[in-house]
Amino acid sequence: MRKKSLSLVACMFMAASSVGAAEFDEAIKNGKLSGDATITYEMRDSKKDLDVYYRDSAYSVGSAELIYKTDSFHNFNLAFGMRAYKVIWEDHKNSIGAYGPTAGKGDASSRFWNIDGGEIAVTTNAYIGYDTEKIHFKAGRQELETEWLDEHHDAITLYANPIEKLEVELIWSQSHYRMWARELFYGPDMDGFSGTINSEGGGIYKVGLTYDILDSLKVKGYTLVAPDNYSVYGAKATLALESNDFKYGGFFHYMQTDERLAQNEDGSLIDTKVYVELDGYNLGLGYIQTGKDGGWGSAYKGGENVTPFEEGDKLYNYIAIDTRTPYITLSKNIMGLSLSAIYGHSTYKLPNGSGDYKMSEFCLWAGYDITKNLNLSAILTVINEDEKDIGWAATDLTQVSSTLVYKF
């Protein structure tokens, strides 16, 4: 981390000297400060106490994030942000953390790595950027939201529009973290959760091309390469149409992995959804299918935005394979209250080939803006597992969480 910080400082001085000290000072002076103050609560009622994660638990954690971003100077900008966490209350203060003793103690450590009943602070943003009408560049710690690279990353990203309707995406990421108000995974060398993405070294590279065919139909092809470890190949088409107050559309996403390590099976994914929207009601039907032998492979190790459920654990390849999940969604805003619900039913096998098992998950999200900057949200999750599955995470579970956040 020290080397990365020194590199960022060096970039700052180089940028300042190249554009002139006076302009650099003006950009610093006109920068903007943003952030939030958040309190979150979560309670789990588990039918069986299987381990330190799938068990009865309850906790509340407060956090605050500050992000400072300079004004543009010759199209350059700098940003730095930190989030601090503090345990407010835990039902079981001495329970072992979900990922072993090094992850800390207490109920909160199941979601907040190494908080250990106390407080912790992490760097969420630390990058230098360059923006023009057709080029957007960042180098350093930043937030990503793209196929298989999600949440926080130590990365270099470039988005460019060389011709009309075409977007080029180039990314290199060294490390992946989760540093949200409701979750913190920030441990060393935790492939798939945080830390190094590619256990063989070298980070991961992504190239993506998106073309807007009809202003309503976008197609994208992409590939990710983790040298000496695995590769990911995918394509996605998104359709969005509108006729007066009637909206409809959907997407289709296919992915497969090429695993280079002998112990890993190749993975694949089919992810599709259609929706209709009328009078504020949005109804969707979706289907997710993972590979018969390797689930969705190593693709998830840099993050994923496929899982539509609050938990969705059986979609991950290290728990289940050959997962088939049809689901239905419904959302509506009612007098300022946003409501969204999803119900899905999965069939799956375990990596040892046993199955077929079944499970279902229901989630209800509710959110309300108390003021322009103050929001209260709540989530109800109900999971019904297959009693025949005596493997990991096979227990009925009810989870309730709420979050109060003030943004500025």
Side-chain angles (χ1 to χ4, degrees):
M1 184 64 192
R2 183 179 180 185
K3 290 182 179 179
K4 294 174 184 175
S5 300
L6 291 175
S7 298
L8 180 64
V9 172
C11 289
M12 293 171 63
F13 280 109
M14 290 172 62
S17 62
S18 65
V19 301
E23 292 174 273
F24 182 75
D25 288 345
E26 195 68 18
I28 295 291
K29 187 186 302 182
N30 295 329
K32 293 183 179 180
L33 188 67
S34 62
D36 69 74
T38 301
I39 297 176
T40 187
Y41 165 83
E42 181 175 285
M43 180 276 295
R44 281 188 157 195
D45 182 10
S46 181
K47 185 177 180 180
K48 302 175 184 177
D49 285 352
L50 296 182
D51 53 32
V52 293
Y53 187 72
Y54 291 96
R55 59 176 175 81
D56 291 347
S57 63
Y59 65 86
S60 179
V61 170
S63 70
E65 182 178 34
L66 289 176
I67 302 175
Y68 172 77
K69 184 178 179 180
T70 69
D71 197 6
S72 177
F73 51 103
H74 288 247
N75 298 322
F76 284 95
N77 57 78
L78 301 168
F80 183 79
M82 294 193 70
R83 180 175 288 278
Y85 300 83
K86 171 69 176 178
V87 174
I88 298 174
W89 169 81
E90 291 176 304
D91 191 21
H92 306 92
K93 296 182 179 180
N94 296 316
S95 60
I96 299 298
Y99 298 96
T102 59
K105 294 187 297 183
D107 285 345
S109 63
S110 292
R111 294 284 190 187
F112 298 86
W113 174 268
N114 209 26
I115 200 167
D116 202 13
E119 61 275 333
I120 193 171
V122 294
T123 302
T124 57
N125 287 269
Y127 65 82
I128 180 171
Y130 179 83
D131 294 285
T132 67
E133 185 178 344
K134 293 187 175 183
I135 295 176
H136 303 282
F137 171 86
K138 287 182 181 179
R141 182 162 297 175
Q142 57 190 282
E143 297 179 41
L144 301 182
E145 188 176 358
T146 181
E147 298 86 5
W148 311 112
L149 296 174
D150 194 23
E151 299 156 332
H152 294 80
H153 286 254
D154 293 331
I156 298 174
T157 62
L158 174 66
Y159 289 87
N161 301 97
I163 61 174
E164 186 179 2
K165 297 187 177 182
L166 177 66
E167 180 183 72
V168 178
E169 177 185 51
L170 301 175
I171 299 176
W172 173 81
S173 175
Q174 175 64 41
S175 303
H176 164 228
Y177 312 94
R178 298 179 185 177
M179 297 183 286
W180 306 116
R182 293 190 61 243
E183 195 169 24
L184 171 66
F185 287 123
Y186 188 72
D189 300 326
M190 293 172 57
D191 260 13
F193 291 101
S194 60
T196 305
I197 295 177
N198 180 3
S199 58
E200 303 302 302
I204 189 168
Y205 301 82
K206 181 178 182 181
V207 177
L209 296 175
T210 303
Y211 191 75
D212 191 343
I213 298 178
L214 302 170
D215 292 329
S216 57
L217 176 62
K218 292 184 178 181
V219 294
K220 181 175 184 178
Y222 65 85
T223 182
L224 295 89
V225 178
D228 302 320
N229 199 335
Y230 62 92
S231 296
V232 180
Y233 306 95
K236 187 174 185 178
T238 304
L239 179 68
L241 297 169
E242 184 174 351
S243 177
N244 297 323
D245 294 331
F246 182 61
K247 299 179 182 179
Y248 57 100
F251 65 83
F252 180 84
H253 181 195
Y254 177 79
M255 177 278 299
Q256 65 181 35
T257 72
D258 178 14
E259 306 288 338
R260 294 183 176 85
L261 301 183
Q263 67 269 27
N264 294 336
E265 297 283 353
D266 292 346
S268 64
L269 169 81
I270 294 175
D271 177 23
T272 187
K273 182 181 179 182
V274 295
Y275 70 89
V276 293
E277 184 174 328
L278 182 65
D279 294 332
Y281 288 92
N282 186 297
L283 176 66
L285 295 174
Y287 178 75
I288 301 172
Q289 179 178 320
T290 67
K292 292 184 177 181
D293 298 314
W296 58 24
S298 298
Y300 73 94
K301 290 185 176 181
E304 57 85 21
N305 44 27
V306 173
T307 310
F309 302 94
E310 179 64 18
E311 292 300 310
D313 287 338
K314 290 303 187 293
L315 292 177
Y316 290 94
N317 77 315
Y318 55 86
I319 299 176
I321 60 174
D322 195 15
T323 302
R324 300 165 188 265
T325 307
Y327 64 90
I328 183 171
T329 63
L330 179 65
S331 62
K332 170 68 174 176
N333 285 347
I334 303 175
M335 299 180 64
L337 178 67
S338 63
L339 295 171
S340 297
I342 183 173
Y343 174 80
H345 184 274
S346 296
T347 60
Y348 65 95
K349 295 179 180 179
L350 296 180
N352 61 13
S354 64
D356 294 311
Y357 299 116
K358 300 177 181 179
M359 62 85 62
S360 64
E361 180 169 346
F362 170 78
C363 307
L364 176 64
W365 293 270
Y368 183 76
D369 290 330
I370 301 173
T371 68
K372 180 181 178 181
N373 301 96
L374 183 64
N375 175 270
L376 177 63
S377 61
I379 307 169
L380 169 66
T381 305
V382 180
I383 298 174
N384 291 307
E385 293 280 0
D386 195 327
E387 293 184 358
K388 295 180 297 183
D389 180 3
I390 59 174
W392 189 54
T395 178
D396 293 351
L397 179 71
T398 299
Q399 180 175 289
V400 177
S401 63
S402 61
T403 301
L404 181 67
V405 55
Y406 180 83
K407 293 185 177 181
F408 57 90

